Amino acid sequence: MTSASSLFGNYARSNLQFDHGNGVWLVTRDGRRFLDCGSGIAVNSLGHSHPHLVEALKAQAEKLWHVSNLHTVPGQEKLGERLAKATFADKVLMVNSGAEAMEACIKAARRYHYNNGNPDRFHVVTFEGAFHGRTIATIAAGGQAKYLEGFGPKAPGFDQVPAGDLEALAAVIGPQTAAIAIEPIQGEGGIREQGADFLRHLRKLCDDNGILLIFDEIQTGVGRTGKFFAHEWSGVNPDLMAIAKGIGGGFPMGACLATEEVAACLTPGTHGTTFGGNPLAMAVGNAVLDVVLEEGFLDSVEKKGLLLKQKLAGLVDSHPAIFAEVRGKGLLLGLKCAAPVGDLVSAAREAGLLIVPAGDNVARILPPLTITEEELDEVVNRLDAAASTLEEKTISVGGAAG
Ligand SMILES: *Cc1c(COP(=O)(O)O)cnc(C)c1O
């Protein structure tokens, strides 16, 4: 079948065409309004057209767009210092996307052991259900057959075990192991929390064996769970961390954060990116932090998250044929569905609500962190309406069959 579009057919796009947005609302070219609980897959952390972000981008656009990393970019120095100050990290590398941030973590981990005289120590242990990006290395890290198929041999050096399986983990760790990489809460995998005990176990395993711990906080980070980073809930710090999505608030950017000791392995010329950390991205990233690190902001996300989770639990009780369970933390919530998640996503869209499907038959509810409590009620009303529509359909189909 040929399509009218000149674009690659690699996305199953809806035919919604948005023209503009404001806060949690998106408006199509023909004037229909949608409540956005997808946030462009956890990217629009401060909603659409946030005045502080718009102002920061406009002001920078009039001054300077790009100079490359041949020169010192003041916005990078500033953002790096702020990220380091607010996290475990001492050093920050700016990149353009999540997959690139993970690539940088993987390369830094390998190079660290190489520099320490262990060039054969390059394996990274990952977990079933993980998602780390779509590059050749990160699909190998994610280990999902549907993303690996047809793209040649899986890149070597990635060993996968079931999440939470201590025995499998012990069996796979060896002198070849450079790092363990994990999402504190799996996003694409279906909002699956890994648990503080498991993260503490990983930290100890890493410390006992000279292995580096990598956290992929591309989806969970920058306030999404009610802490600046999700691992803060466990008290466990990584050696390396990948961030992206929410840090740019919609401007494409990412970063690799590391301890001084690990970052030191990437000496001049060993790694780089042309666009990473360009002045436009840095202006927006700094503006996002102005808001997220403001006194009380993260507490408000935690509070709204608890409120929404309670309300979603109520929906699970009132629609047992549609919903099975609510999961997640802060405003990174998932509704495990009893009906096919694709049907719920469509019914929600009909009700003017955007949500995002994930693995394990889960619908992700990821509103902008700036959503108000009144808007949370509207989210629940629309989900309620979507669930009722699905129930009616099930009953009428059942009636026709019986
Ligand atoms: C989105 C995501 C990625 C990939 O980010 P891209 O910007 O699409 O490359 C990697 N890991 C996690 C956990 C993600 O959610």
Side-chain angles (χ1 to χ4, degrees), residues 189-224:
I191 313 296
R192 289 194 283 198
E193 290 188 55
Q194 300 304 310
D197 286 344
F198 188 57
L199 296 184
R200 278 193 282 270
H201 178 81
L202 293 183
R203 181 70 268 177
K204 181 161 186 337
L205 199 61
C206 286
D207 290 343
D208 291 349
N209 296 282
I211 295 166
L212 299 177
L213 184 58
I214 302 173
F215 283 160
D216 179 344
E217 290 237 27
I218 291 164
Q219 189 155 158
T220 52
V222 196
R224 179 56 52 192

Side-chain angles (χ1 to χ4, degrees), residues 5-26:
S5 172
S6 303
L7 302 176
F8 273 35
N10 60 318
Y11 299 112
R13 297 180 171 91
S14 84
N15 51 21
L16 293 175
Q17 298 185 25
F18 294 109
D19 176 71
H20 60 277
N22 194 338
V24 299
W25 297 96
L26 277 170

Side-chain angles (χ1 to χ4, degrees), residues 152-175:
K154 183 179 159 220
F158 295 94
D159 305 316
Q160 194 159 68
V161 298
D165 187 335
L166 305 188
E167 269 176 45
L169 193 57
V172 85
I173 298 282

